[in-house]
Amino acid sequence: MAKVTRQEAAAELLRRKRAKDSLLDYSKFIDIPGVPVDDDESQWELAPVETGIADHHALIMSVFERVVSGEIPRAMFFLPPGSAKSTFGSVVAPTWIMGKIPNYKIILASYGSDLAKKHGRRARQIVRSKKFQHVFGTTISSDTGAADFWAIDNGSEYMSGGILSGITGNRCNLLIIDDPVKGREEADSETIQKKTWGAYQDDLRTRLVPGGAEIIIQTRWSENDLSGKILPENYDGETGLIDCRDGRQWYVVCIPAQCERNDDPLGRKIGDYLWPEWFTPEHFEGFKTQVRTWSALFQQRPQPPQGTFFQRDWFQRYRIGEQPTQLNHYMTSDHAPGGEDHNDYNCFRMWGVDSTGDLWLRTGGFRAQETIDKSIDKALVMIKSHKPFAWFPEDDNNWKAVSGFVGRSMIEKKIFCRIEPVSPHGKDKPTKAQPFQAMAAMGRVHIPEGPEGDAVIDQYLRFPTGANDDEVDAASIIGRVIDEAHPAVLKAPKEIPKTTAQEDFDIVFGNKKSRARNLDDAFPASSGM
């Protein structure tokens, strides 16, 4: 046996001290158990996990420490499947807490007793290890040892079971609910939703001692899952302290598979994937074809299968190239001030109207958090590509501030389009969206297949409770101008007449005297809408 030097001994003692003081250091010190070495349920030994500690694991453990210290009373964690959220939230963290705080009682509940027992079995292996004993000077009690109920010599206990199995008879300082939903069938079952909510309220929460803490760890399945019933209706994936519908504050950590917010809790850039050291982009790409699965399980944005104001099956999907060859094109735009990360989006969309009056959303539109003057160059590219008969911007203060800049940009780039600002009329957003809603309900709105169209429909389905509604605002404009028979909207597709640059300038700025005669039919006089 090799002799240990004084320096090595001192380093080891320091590691143990740090492991006792910090959950993150503890997770680096111990051997984290993974899968069992065999199928024997009485087997203690589990093989170590194959992965290292990633940024999201460190965040989970940091929030656990804040809960245990009393800084925050309760927390929710939303992460995609396979992110090891249960390993650190239901296995590693509980053992550190139990070793650090004598007589600390933990109850872990999951959708089924077997899964809860699996977590308990892994946690049990940690506390009987030599490394755990080196850190806390205690080990598993000889009086208990079952995977679903065991204790350690300092009086701390770990009990696990299924949510609907009726966990009674024990009290706890910390209630952990991990994966309360088994799968899609249960997630969509109103009966299971009610039973789960009832078990949470009547069986689980009543087990907490006064001042006890709660933690929910899950992949989101439905807006009516356990977390969905607690979160505010306008919750949109933000991380932080949230005022919830149960009258309490929860600290929510939402980490989607692919970053889509500028305030990502891991500091990722939009489009970056989770845990690139373990997950390849190809791993996630295969799930994107199932829109609901990707949105809910991976992006933590569950939505009703049919939406509320809009329904998914109202929208006709088409492949690029399947649209009619003759379409009259019109551009709509919704504007936002600022351009900072916390501001709303500018949204520009191109619409085609066919001979029957159906709407075809064309690809190439965009939404961006930037000042509107920066969006104009992109808008002019859209105009040059599709040659719309008119551009209908929302006639708000943001538009008024840049309208002169738009005109100058058109002259400079020699790209012209008739502009017809549309007044909001002081109506609320749902009222303004009703004409577009009616067209969609009649199956007269065609959305391209692919990620761009998926994202547009996703926002439609979240309206009017979603945090962002710029896509709906842009769609509402085209619905209104068609419904109100704006004279710039032609009754049937026509060829775009060739004009000179001067004539195009006159069209944009309303100089009717200089218009060529053949333009009067293609571009009727403005209604002043």
Side-chain angles (χ1 to χ4, degrees):
M1 182 176 180
K3 184 178 180 179
V4 178
T5 67
R6 293 180 63 182
Q7 291 82 0
E8 289 173 335
E12 175 64 16
L13 290 174
L14 180 61
R15 290 179 63 214
R16 295 179 185 181
K17 181 180 185 304
R18 287 176 174 173
K20 186 174 183 179
D21 294 339
S22 162
L23 178 51
L24 178 59
D25 287 325
Y26 170 78
S27 68
K28 296 176 181 178
F29 181 79
I30 63 172
D31 296 318
I32 300 174
V35 298
V37 296
D38 58 43
D39 295 330
D40 183 359
E41 289 193 1
S42 63
Q43 173 64 256
W44 284 91
E45 187 178 356
L46 289 86
V49 296
E50 303 172 358
T51 62
I53 298 170
D55 290 344
H56 63 288
H57 303 144
L59 178 59
I60 290 173
M61 291 185 284
S62 172
V63 174
F64 256 89
E65 286 187 321
R66 295 173 65 186
V67 171
V68 174
S69 70
E71 180 184 345
I72 51 179
R74 58 196 68 85
M76 299 184 197
F77 298 92
F78 306 143
L79 293 94
S83 55
K85 56 188 181 295
S86 296
T87 294
F88 291 92
S90 296
V91 178
V92 174
T95 61
W96 179 78
I97 298 168
M98 292 169 66
K100 190 175 181 65
I101 307 174
N103 300 307
Y104 199 90
K105 309 296 193 292
I106 294 176
I107 290 180
L108 171 78
S110 187
Y111 64 75
S113 297
D114 289 344
L115 179 60
K117 183 182 291 187
K118 176 183 175 182
H119 296 325
R121 184 181 182 188
R122 295 173 67 194
R124 184 184 63 178
Q125 174 163 315
I126 293 176
V127 301
R128 71 181 299 269
S129 70
K130 291 293 184 182
K131 289 186 176 181
F132 182 87
Q133 296 175 44
H134 290 329
V135 173
F136 295 112
T138 185
T139 187
I140 194 163
S141 171
S142 59
D143 296 334
T144 61
D148 56 358
F149 182 73
W150 48 267
I152 56 179
D153 289 337
N154 71 352
S156 293
E157 296 176 353
Y158 186 109
M159 180 181 183
S160 61
I163 287 179
L164 301 181
S165 64
I167 296 178
T168 57
N170 288 73
R171 307 283 279 177
C172 66
N173 303 94
L174 173 62
L175 170 64
I176 301 175
I177 300 176
D178 189 349
D179 277 333
V181 179
K182 182 177 183 179
R184 174 59 61 199
E185 184 176 356
E186 287 194 0
D188 290 341
S189 168
E190 187 175 351
T191 299
I192 297 297
Q193 291 171 4
K194 290 181 178 178
K195 286 183 177 180
T196 300
W197 180 250
Y200 166 69
Q201 293 280 33
D202 300 335
D203 299 338
L204 297 176
R205 282 191 61 195
T206 58
R207 299 296 90 207
L208 282 166
V209 300
E214 297 177 60
I215 287 178
I216 298 176
I217 306 168
Q218 73 167 103
T219 288
R220 296 298 309 279
W221 284 87
S222 164
E223 288 188 332
N224 290 318
D225 60 21
L226 179 60
S227 298
K229 290 182 179 296
I230 297 172
L231 291 166
E233 292 183 356
N234 63 348
Y235 176 73
D236 194 44
E238 59 269 31
T239 291
L241 205 58
I242 306 293
D243 293 322
C244 292
R245 280 185 285 175
D246 64 353
R248 303 183 297 168
Q249 285 189 324
W250 287 77
Y251 192 91
V252 180
V253 177
C254 183
I255 306 177
Q258 187 172 29
C259 175
E260 58 185 13
R261 294 178 62 100
N262 288 303
D263 58 353
D264 182 71
L266 300 179
R268 296 175 296 173
K269 296 180 180 179
I270 298 228
D272 287 352
Y273 286 109
L274 176 67
W275 204 1
E277 303 88 351
W278 179 250
F279 290 126
T280 64
E282 290 74 22
H283 170 80
F284 292 118
E285 289 297 328
F287 295 103
K288 289 185 176 181
T289 58
Q290 301 296 322
V291 177
R292 190 183 181 198
T293 297
W294 175 251
S295 178
L297 275 67
F298 289 87
Q299 295 302 94
Q300 313 310 309
R301 287 187 290 100
Q303 60 195 26
Q306 292 297 337
T308 53
F309 193 87
F310 295 101
Q311 296 187 17
R312 184 182 297 279
D313 57 10
W314 287 353
F315 298 98
Q316 310 300 309
R317 305 303 296 271
Y318 74 94
R319 295 180 180 177
I320 305 303
E322 292 180 346
Q323 70 273 11
T325 56
Q326 291 293 317
L327 288 171
N328 283 345
H329 287 101
Y330 305 90
M331 187 165 73
T332 62
S333 58
D334 177 61
H335 323 119
E340 302 296 331
D341 292 346
H342 61 276
N343 291 132
D344 291 334
Y345 290 77
N346 289 316
C347 184
F348 287 71
R349 289 297 173 190
M350 189 67 67
W351 304 89
V353 180
D354 66 19
S355 58
T356 67
D358 279 14
L359 275 174
W360 298 74
L361 177 65
R362 304 304 307 274
T363 57
F366 66 93
R367 58 191 298 263
Q369 285 177 306
E370 60 188 14
T371 54
I372 187 172
D373 58 300
K374 293 181 180 179
S375 296
I376 296 307
D377 283 346
K378 301 175 188 176
L380 293 180
V381 171
M382 293 170 63
I383 292 172
K384 184 176 181 179
S385 175
H386 292 283
K387 298 178 175 60
F389 279 86
W391 172 5
F392 297 105
E394 181 88 293
D395 193 15
D396 53 22
N397 290 332
N398 300 305
W399 170 256
K400 290 180 173 66
V402 299
S403 57
F405 173 77
V406 172
R408 292 191 297 272
S409 298
M410 284 185 167
I411 295 171
E412 178 183 341
K413 298 181 181 296
K414 295 182 173 57
I415 300 174
F416 299 96
C417 174
R418 174 178 177 169
I419 301 176
E420 291 285 345
V422 177
S423 171
H425 293 315
K427 298 176 181 177
D428 58 45
K429 290 178 181 290
T431 300
K432 290 191 292 184
Q434 285 176 354
F436 181 76
Q437 178 194 42
M439 293 189 70
M442 291 186 287
R444 296 178 56 200
V445 177
H446 304 258
I447 306 293
E449 294 181 354
E452 182 179 356
D454 293 343
V456 171
I457 291 180
D458 177 68
Q459 192 181 116
Y460 291 167
L461 297 184
R462 296 179 69 84
F463 182 78
T465 60
N468 296 312
D469 51 21
D470 43 272
E471 292 286 5
V472 178
D473 288 341
S476 297
I477 294 173
I478 192 66
R480 288 160 57 200
V481 298
I482 291 175
D483 181 63
E484 298 175 21
H486 192 290
V489 179
L490 305 185
K491 294 182 179 179
K494 294 184 179 182
E495 294 292 335
I496 300 176
K498 295 180 179 179
T499 61
T500 66
Q502 177 61 45
E503 289 168 334
D504 284 331
F505 176 83
D506 293 336
I507 290 169
V508 172
F509 294 100
N511 187 357
K512 299 179 182 178
K513 293 181 180 179
S514 298
R515 286 189 187 173
R517 183 180 300 274
N518 66 338
L519 294 179
D520 290 337
D521 178 54
F523 299 96
S526 170
S527 67
M529 183 178 177

